[in-house]
Amino acid sequence: MKNKTPLLLTFSLILFQLTSCSLIPTISPDQQIQQAVAATIAALPLPTTPPTPTTYPSPTPFNLAGLFCEYQFCIGHPIDVSFFDVSAQQNPAAPNTYTQGVLAAFNGNLFIQAMWQVAPGSSDPKFLLDTILDDQVDTASGAEDVFLVRDMNVMYDTITTIASPNLPFGGAAAWTCGDRVFAWKVYLPNTESARPLFDEALARFRCEK
């Protein structure tokens, strides 16, 4: 895991702010997750010299030789990043489990978030796609691509975001597998790399049903 110490300090500050004053209203788990993810994005390294391109950057090739396997599922990811447990960073007493969890991975070229939730009998992953999109910073195109992959119902949409000025484009997806629904989101410097990155990640996805 990269930049672990700054992230731990960032999340510790967030936890302190949430608990130090009894007058602060109760914050929902979804809001806590969004705050933790926002803190992670804020820790993204900034370029030493601001780029001034006249056109959008060309797609960045990603090597998805990395494979995250835990919580009885596996998913592909670029080899130069590693997923970490967002839930445990926020609250060590409530880490990810089989039933629900949130992961994140990032470097200077991308930010990836993944989450899952037990939803027995659900065949529509739309609710978790809506959950992983932060309506304060993310804007979906609304042109959702719905398709079937290995008996999994999948939805994908391109997005733009103001979460990070260096990563304004991306994509988001959700799908069903067994008794769980999964969601995935990426921020990138260009729009062309998002869908191929998701397709490769999903191609290596497996879950125990």
Side-chain angles (χ1 to χ4, degrees):
M1 180 179 73
K2 300 182 178 180
N3 296 330
K4 181 176 181 180
T5 300
L7 287 174
L8 287 172
L9 291 173
T10 301
F11 288 123
S12 296
L13 288 173
I14 291 173
L15 288 173
F16 176 79
Q17 292 170 354
L18 290 175
T19 58
S20 62
C21 179
S22 61
L23 297 179
I24 298 176
T26 302
I27 299 177
S28 71
D30 285 347
Q31 289 175 312
Q32 292 176 354
I33 289 170
Q34 295 297 356
Q35 287 183 343
V37 171
T40 302
I41 295 170
L44 285 168
L46 297 175
T48 55
T49 303
T52 55
T54 55
T55 58
Y56 291 136
S58 59
T60 303
F62 292 101
N63 179 353
L64 264 75
L67 187 66
F68 175 89
C69 287
E70 203 169 339
Y71 313 110
Q72 295 178 253
F73 74 89
C74 294
I75 189 168
H77 63 84
I79 195 170
D80 58 343
V81 298
S82 299
F83 279 117
F84 63 90
D85 185 334
V86 173
S87 301
Q89 291 282 2
Q90 183 186 16
N91 182 1
N96 292 334
T97 64
Y98 173 90
T99 58
Q100 62 182 11
V102 183
L103 301 171
F106 70 93
N107 61 24
N109 294 318
L110 83 165
F111 168 86
I112 302 174
Q113 181 184 355
M115 63 171 53
W116 63 95
Q117 181 177 322
V118 167
S122 176
S123 60
D124 185 357
K126 181 70 164 60
F127 77 94
L128 206 58
L129 179 62
D130 293 338
T131 300
I132 203 169
L133 291 173
D134 183 346
D135 58 10
Q136 299 298 312
V137 296
D138 299 332
T139 302
S141 73
E144 295 168 356
D145 185 12
V146 180
F147 52 100
L148 190 67
V149 175
R150 303 192 309 275
D151 297 325
M152 299 185 298
N153 295 324
V154 184
M155 304 180 71
Y156 178 88
D157 202 352
T158 57
I159 64 173
T160 56
T161 183
I162 59 172
S164 169
N166 300 309
L167 307 173
F169 305 104
W175 63 97
T176 59
C177 188
D179 63 349
R180 291 183 287 182
V181 176
F182 294 81
W184 178 98
K185 179 172 70 175
V186 66
Y187 296 154
L188 294 161
N190 59 71
T191 190
E192 297 90 352
S193 298
R195 180 60 184 265
L197 185 61
F198 170 67
D199 288 343
E200 291 185 54
L202 187 66
R204 304 191 68 200
F205 176 84
R206 299 290 184 277
C207 82
E208 294 187 19
K209 301 180 180 180

